[in-house]
Amino acid sequence: MSTWTTHRTAPDSADARAVLREYMAEMVRRWHGRPERPGEVSAALAESPSDDLIPPTGLLLLARRDGHLAGCAGLRRRPGWAELTRVYVRPAHRGAGGGAALLAAVEAYARGAGVDRIRLDTRSDLVEARALYARHGYREIPAFNAGRYAQHWFEKPLPARVDDTRAPR
């Protein structure tokens, strides 16, 4: 059985930069239905930066499976809610519970920070992501933004738990 751990990191750390680049490369490949071209991933990272995934208005979590860097997830605070973003599990680690571990960790942080709902947008081609969100209580809602790549919008209420007194460290 695999052991998943998550921890906060800065988006400019070496591990974060590596996994965020892999995430964006996959997004580019899947969107265009072809291998990424030179410069496309860098352009996509510049168009949609992750530098705001830092306290106090955001966070970036890295996931490790049995000690190996395996994925990431981000959270941005918005007025009245938080946005889930950058959910990614490296291909070699998929199907082993990493998506669920990342969602649970992000939700615990959000709940501990007093957030009562998480929203996200995603694309039609990210079928696995949409299935993951639905399995974990996210429900499709009407569009709440006009993002260039947004095709599906989800929300999950986060009721306070008695044992959640603050965000994990």
Side-chain angles (χ1 to χ4, degrees), residues 104-105 107-115 158-168:
E107 290 169 10
Y109 278 103
R111 196 178 282 111
V115 172
L158 295 177
R161 291 188 179 160
V162 174
D163 61 340
D164 285 346
T165 57
R166 61 187 192 145

Side-chain angles (χ1 to χ4, degrees), residues 133-148:
Y133 302 137
R135 274 195 315 274
H136 291 276
Y138 290 79
R139 299 292 173 244
E140 284 212 54
I141 61 171
F144 60 84
N145 67 21
R148 179 176 172 187

Side-chain angles (χ1 to χ4, degrees), residues 11-24 62 69 88 90:
D12 62 353
S13 72
D15 282 349
R17 284 193 321 268
V19 78
L20 287 168
R21 179 165 278 283
E22 289 175 28
Y23 160 83
M24 195 60 74
L62 293 184
L69 183 61
Y88 175 72
R90 285 177 154 173

Side-chain angles (χ1 to χ4, degrees), residues 1 11 24 29 34 37 74 92-93 95 112 125 134 136 144 146 149 156:
M1 177 177 247
M24 195 60 74
R29 285 190 302 272
R34 58 163 171 73
R37 294 179 179 150
H93 300 281
D125 62 320
H136 291 276
F144 60 84
Y149 302 104
K156 180 178 182 176

